[in-house]
Amino acid sequence: MMKQKTLKGSFSLFGKGLHTGLSITVTFNPAPENTGYKIQRIDLEGEPIIDAVAENVVDTQRGTVLAKGDIRVSTVEHGMAALYALGIDNCLIQVNGPEFPILDGSSKNYVEKIQEIGTVEQNAPKDYYVIRHKMEIKDDKTGSCITILPDDDFSITAMCSFDSKFISSQFATLDNMDKFVSDIAAARTFVFVRDIEPLLSANLIKGGDMDNAIVIYERQLEQDKLDKLADLLGVPRLDATKLGYIQHKPLVWDNECTRHKLLDIIGDMALIGKPIKGRIVATRPGHTVNNKFARLMRKEIRKHEVQAPFYDPNEPPVMDVNRIRELLPHRYPMQLVDKVISIGPNSIVGLKNITSNEPFFTGHFPEEPVMPGVLQIEAMAQCGGLLVLNTLEEPERWSTYFMKIDDVKFRQKVVPGDTLLFKVDLLAPVRHGVSSMKGYMFVGDTIVSEATFTAQIVKNK
């Protein structure tokens, strides 16, 4: 089972803020499991903390801006992309200003520091959200679209189209997050000269220079206007007749601009709150549509906070009905687990097919057959008993008995034709023959019942 990760220690990066031009230090610190990403403004009284989640995004025009009340932190996406791509689940980020430093305009510096400091596994399991069906969000005004499809891992394809002969159409793909460091992290942000002048005039970028962005000059300006712009940026004056890329550093890749768009998607997906298993296809992505998609995913996760296990009926069971009969004393009509499809040291997934021939439907209820709730709990408990017995030597010589049942919830009726999936997790190691477990029962993707129960393991007479 994959475990959550955090940093082994703290590290800091220093640089200018793109929008303010202020000297800013950002420090990344370890955080306890199940904390997620949090950003703390240590330059303000009370050192307020902002949860780095999609609902707290308040602006996406010039990068991703998070806020709590009047407290804002901008240009967070490059740092968030590095955390997410390197598998870090929990981190406290302290910043002494209203934005992260722009650094070189990519995630490279963050990645290098994370690799230098290292990561450490935590006790909690990594809580993936597995995409089970296609989801999509579109922006008809811009033509932007983000689609996510089921996949065994997390991967992204970005396709961009720009009104420029230099980068008219490009695409970039990241099939494996292990390649983020080598293929994506160093991709810098980019800007068109035509967009810089109004930003400078509005005093919206004070810390940008030719070292932290790809600057594209693709529409000829009058020489005096270009000279004025060069003076404002503090760079040598250029020949207004020569179009093209005018940054100091050469392109790392021919499609570096679209690779940076892919980097931004990863940074904005970090705000979903869980690592994802699915394939994203993004057409003309940008922070606005990225954030809309992240919010959509947050709503989807809340609806399925505990996901149903994946069931492939073509796969042979881990335990068939005959093995279950060897371990459990239950017989017809009280054997309520048909097979076990997966089992580990702390978790088990079992299955029961509900038919109209179940004996309890005769009286519960003849005109509206419904599986009794108490039998749903019994079925989960039998599955949990198989989990505990599987850890013992000579499991056939032991039995499990209820001691306590808590937090029982019934959410939906169980009726003939339903296929029940049980997922039972140990809440703590078995001690002194006593085991505590949490059980869920699903029909399709929906939880129909759940309970916490304690059982005692007793040797058979």
Side-chain angles (χ1 to χ4, degrees), residues 345-363:
N346 300 305
S347 184
I348 189 171
V349 177
L351 178 145
K352 177 172 176 56
N353 293 300
I354 303 297
T355 76
S356 59
N357 296 319
E358 306 291 346
F360 46 77
F361 286 142
T362 303

Side-chain angles (χ1 to χ4, degrees), residues 29-91:
N29 304 285
E33 57 263 23
N34 301 314
T35 298
Y37 306 132
K38 296 186 182 298
I39 301 175
Q40 185 177 31
R41 283 284 302 272
I42 60 174
D43 59 315
L44 299 177
E45 185 177 351
E47 300 186 350
I49 294 176
I50 303 171
D51 288 322
V53 293
E55 293 89 339
N56 289 336
V57 175
V58 294
D59 190 6
T60 55
Q61 296 303 307
R62 294 176 301 279
T64 299
V65 184
L66 293 162
K68 179 180 181 180
D70 295 331
I71 311 303
R72 297 163 68 95
V73 180
S74 63
T75 57
V76 303
E77 60 272 11
H78 302 163
M80 303 306 298
L83 290 174
Y84 188 89
L86 295 181
I88 296 171
D89 302 279
N90 306 294
C91 187

Side-chain angles (χ1 to χ4, degrees), residues 177-209:
M177 289 296 270
D178 291 341
K179 295 183 178 180
F180 176 85
V181 175
S182 61
D183 293 0
I184 302 297
R188 292 160 293 169
T189 191
F190 61 96
V191 65
F192 293 98
V193 168
R194 64 176 183 261
D195 297 326
I196 295 177
E197 187 175 13
L199 292 173
L200 285 170
S201 300
N203 214 24
L204 293 175
I205 52 171
K206 299 177 181 179
D209 59 41

Side-chain angles (χ1 to χ4, degrees), residues 90-105:
N90 306 294
C91 187
L92 172 63
I93 307 165
Q94 296 174 312
V95 58
N96 67 338
E99 58 183 326
F100 284 15
I102 188 61
L103 304 173
D104 74 339

Side-chain angles (χ1 to χ4, degrees), residues 217-359:
Y217 175 48
E218 42 39 285
R219 293 182 187 174
Q220 187 170 337
L221 297 176
E222 295 176 7
Q223 186 65 55
D224 62 334
K225 286 187 176 180
L226 190 60
D227 289 345
K228 181 181 178 182
L229 193 60
D231 293 342
L232 287 171
L233 287 171
V235 299
R237 293 185 175 185
L238 305 168
D239 183 346
T241 64
K242 293 183 178 180
L243 304 181
Y245 295 97
I246 59 173
Q247 76 279 355
H248 287 167
K249 299 176 183 178
L251 291 175
V252 182
W253 304 277
D254 290 340
N255 64 343
E256 185 171 352
C257 295
T258 300
R259 291 189 192 221
H260 185 81
K261 284 286 189 180
L262 195 153
L263 185 156
D264 282 342
I265 295 170
I266 294 172
D268 291 332
M269 291 306 101
L271 306 182
I272 289 172
K274 286 188 178 184
I276 293 172
K277 289 188 177 182
R279 182 170 190 86
I280 291 176
V281 179
T283 304
R284 304 191 71 179
H287 290 298
T288 300
V289 72
N290 294 352
N291 182 248
K292 288 180 180 178
F293 183 76
R295 290 183 183 224
L296 172 68
M297 288 298 304
R298 293 273 294 174
K299 290 180 182 178
E300 186 72 12
I301 289 170
R302 280 196 293 271
K303 284 197 301 185
H304 302 99
E305 190 171 346
V306 178
Q307 281 195 285
F310 177 74
Y311 170 50
D312 182 354
N314 295 311
E315 292 289 328
V318 176
M319 292 185 191
D320 63 12
V321 68
N322 295 316
R323 177 57 178 161
I324 292 170
R325 286 169 62 89
E326 291 174 359
L327 296 178
L328 294 182
H330 308 78
R331 297 295 182 265
Y332 177 85
M334 289 303 296
Q335 184 176 331
L336 298 175
V337 182
D338 291 338
K339 61 181 176 180
V340 172
I341 59 177
S342 73
I343 191 167
N346 300 305
S347 184
I348 189 171
V349 177
L351 178 145
K352 177 172 176 56
N353 293 300
I354 303 297
T355 76
S356 59
N357 296 319
E358 306 291 346

Side-chain angles (χ1 to χ4, degrees), residues 376-377 380 406-412 438 447-451:
Q376 296 177 37
I377 303 304
M380 279 189 279
D406 293 309
D407 304 322
V408 177
K409 294 179 183 177
F410 300 107
R411 302 178 182 272
Q412 181 175 298
K438 176 70 177 183
I447 296 176
V448 295
S449 58
E450 62 182 271

